[in-house]
Amino acid sequence: EKRELTLQERKLRYWAQTSPIDVLRELSGDREPPPSDIEIVDSLILQYGLEMEVVNVLIDYVMITKNKRMPRKYIETIAGHWQRENIRTAQEAMDLARKGHDDYRQWKDQEEKKSSSPRSYKQKQGTGRVEMLPDWFEPLEDKPKEQAPPPPKEDEEDLEEARRRVLQKLGLDDKEVNS
């Protein structure tokens, strides 16, 4: 009996059998990649010595996280890291990309918590940017899903304070609005 391949297994097979230029072409809406992108791919293979399947993971990761852009310095930074880590397979590249992203998120969260300066209400709401990640970044089936923590009490208090200020500016009182 044949079981259906998981998304990750399909991606691994695709990256092992497809040239980086074809991956670029597909991610560019079946348009021919610009010469600058082809140069980057060539340097990943020739100068950094990355395997084609590893280059494919790198292209996929960067094109999705960077909104279909191929920033050379960013790509070279990752390629240098992967070269030093001796990444040889798409699976190893995926694992390291996930770990690197998790480390970055933890660092960013810690930096936000460290910031002791008071913030305005608007800053606490965030920038509204949605972080794009490749579909293969989703947790594997065997990993337990984490629940989002409840919002901190201070956010609720800030929201209530902002609501009171708006009502005050409108010349309304809390009882008039809630009745």
Side-chain angles (χ1 to χ4, degrees):
E1 95 193 45
K2 251 184 147 180
R3 71 172 179 81
E4 195 169 317
L5 296 177
T6 66
L7 171 67
Q8 183 167 322
E9 290 168 333
R10 287 193 309 268
K11 285 281 190 181
L12 289 170
R13 181 176 287 174
Y14 169 73
W15 286 327
Q17 299 171 349
T18 309
S19 79
I21 301 302
D22 288 338
V23 170
L24 255 180
R25 189 177 294 122
E26 184 179 312
L27 290 170
S28 301
D30 290 328
R31 286 189 291 276
E32 204 54 38
S36 59
D37 290 358
I38 294 171
E39 285 174 24
I40 291 171
V41 167
D42 285 346
S43 97
L44 294 174
I45 295 168
L46 300 174
Q47 290 180 316
Y48 289 89
L50 298 179
E51 300 293 331
M52 287 201 308
E53 65 186 89
V54 173
V55 171
N56 287 338
V57 174
L58 181 52
I59 291 168
D60 190 71
Y61 174 70
V62 170
M63 288 282 281
I64 290 167
T65 59
K66 296 297 180 186
N67 198 23
K68 295 192 177 190
R69 290 180 298 120
M70 293 276 289
R72 180 182 289 272
K73 293 286 185 201
Y74 181 71
I75 291 168
E76 289 174 346
T77 299
I78 296 171
H81 179 223
W82 290 6
Q83 180 188 44
R84 287 186 298 280
E85 291 291 331
N86 199 30
I87 300 300
R88 301 319 254 157
T89 67
Q91 182 66 61
E92 291 171 344
M94 289 168 72
D95 293 343
L96 194 58
R98 280 190 195 107
K99 183 185 179 324
H101 183 74
D102 290 346
D103 291 349
Y104 169 75
R105 293 296 313 154
Q106 285 178 343
W107 171 82
K108 191 172 179 186
D109 290 347
Q110 285 175 346
E111 287 299 308
E112 287 173 5
K113 286 178 187 172
K114 274 188 209 173
S115 174
S116 59
S117 62
R119 296 184 192 178
S120 71
Y121 176 71
K122 244 184 184 172
Q123 286 173 318
K124 284 190 177 182
Q125 295 303 308
T127 61
R129 285 180 56 183
V130 176
E131 186 176 42
M132 296 298 295
L133 294 172
D135 50 10
W136 49 266
F137 248 67
E138 294 303 316
L140 300 175
E141 288 74 20
D142 57 344
K143 287 187 181 175
K145 299 232 182 216
E146 290 182 24
Q147 257 187 324
K153 284 283 187 212
E154 64 189 41
D155 286 353
E156 292 174 25
E157 291 164 6
D158 289 345
L159 187 58
E160 188 57 36
E161 181 59 35
R163 181 179 176 275
R164 274 189 232 121
R165 283 196 306 268
V166 169
L167 289 175
Q168 187 178 16
K169 283 182 183 177
L170 294 172
L172 299 172
D173 141 357
D174 205 23
K175 292 174 188 157
E176 293 173 327
V177 174
N178 289 332
S179 59

